[in-house]
Amino acid sequence: MGNLHLNIFYTFLILFSIPTFILAQENYPIPNKSPFRLFYIQHSNNHNTFVYEANMKNKSIDIDNPIIEYRIVYTEEGTIKPLTGLQKRMAYGLSTTYLSPNLFKLYLAANKKIPLYLTLDSNFQPKVYVTVNNQKMYLDSLFVKLKNNLSVIHVEAEYILFRGKDYYTQKNITEKYFLEK
């Protein structure tokens, strides 16, 4: 019986110390902030970063092409490149649906379960908001923890960290979303 209690203790110790390791992503570059950057995505395989910016026309979001997507290839000295066709279709591409003036519903190709919403705030600045784990937030970045597997074609995510500001209080928050199998 003593071993069972010891195992439970160590399990709790590990679980409560995990957030320190999970949230740290040390040495990951942060892309330069631009006036229309909405959010960016990084993953655990390398430091390459996928960036999403609002495509603005005057003080409105372009209805025909609301999002500009690109990647920063830090493994090639920070070269900026468009997403590849495979990246767009399978993981990092966004599908957009016009809902009303300056309001769009977005989905990442890799996850059709969590809608993102692109809108303008009261200062006509573009923002993306999302609700994760019943927490509504303005999105700054996502970090995707990929499962360790040897396949380059079939890559699976273990979880996603959504980082941003609480929709109501503007306090910094991080929500961890586990992907269903």
Side-chain angles (χ1 to χ4, degrees):
M1 193 74 161
N3 284 342
L4 177 63
H5 290 295
L6 195 56
N7 287 342
I8 291 171
F9 170 76
Y10 283 122
T11 301
F12 278 110
L13 182 65
I14 290 169
L15 286 176
F16 287 114
S17 64
I18 283 175
T20 304
F21 298 110
I22 291 172
L23 301 177
Q25 283 102 51
E26 291 184 29
N27 301 319
Y28 274 76
I30 296 174
N32 292 332
K33 183 80 171 147
S34 68
F36 302 124
R37 186 179 81 201
L38 300 167
F39 65 96
Y40 61 92
I41 300 175
Q42 295 176 319
H43 58 79
S44 59
N45 277 5
N46 60 47
H47 293 161
N48 294 341
T49 302
F50 301 86
V51 181
Y52 303 85
E53 295 184 356
N55 189 16
M56 302 294 292
K57 281 189 174 178
N58 300 318
K59 290 188 176 187
S60 294
I61 301 168
D62 185 336
I63 291 174
D64 297 321
N65 187 25
I67 305 284
I68 298 167
E69 308 165 328
Y70 60 92
R71 59 192 170 117
I72 303 172
V73 187
Y74 289 108
T75 55
E76 295 177 11
E77 300 172 10
T79 305
I80 294 176
K81 294 184 175 183
L83 273 62
T84 66
L86 188 62
Q87 289 169 337
K88 280 186 177 191
R89 286 188 310 277
M90 302 299 290
Y92 301 105
L94 283 174
S95 61
T96 61
T97 303
Y98 174 81
L99 299 177
S100 64
N102 295 316
L103 181 61
F104 296 81
K105 184 186 264 189
L106 317 169
Y107 285 100
L108 279 165
N111 188 329
K112 305 281 192 224
K113 294 180 181 178
I114 300 178
L116 310 170
Y117 294 92
L118 170 61
T119 190
L120 296 179
D121 66 13
S122 58
N123 296 320
F124 298 99
Q125 293 300 305
K127 300 275 186 190
V128 167
Y129 66 89
V130 62
T131 302
V132 179
N133 302 331
N134 296 317
Q135 185 73 44
K136 193 172 184 179
M137 69 169 65
Y138 286 112
L139 188 60
D140 288 330
S141 67
L142 292 114
F143 180 81
V144 181
K145 171 63 171 97
L146 299 172
K147 291 182 180 178
N148 294 330
N149 64 22
L150 301 176
S151 173
V152 175
I153 296 173
H154 185 69
V155 178
E156 291 183 53
E158 188 175 327
Y159 61 81
I160 303 169
L161 294 177
F162 289 78
R163 291 193 192 103
K165 299 203 180 298
D166 182 274
Y167 188 86
Y168 304 103
T169 67
Q170 300 301 306
K171 290 183 181 177
N172 290 332
I173 58 171
T174 299
E175 286 294 320
K176 186 175 185 180
Y177 176 78
F178 286 95
L179 293 134
E180 299 170 6
K181 294 181 180 181

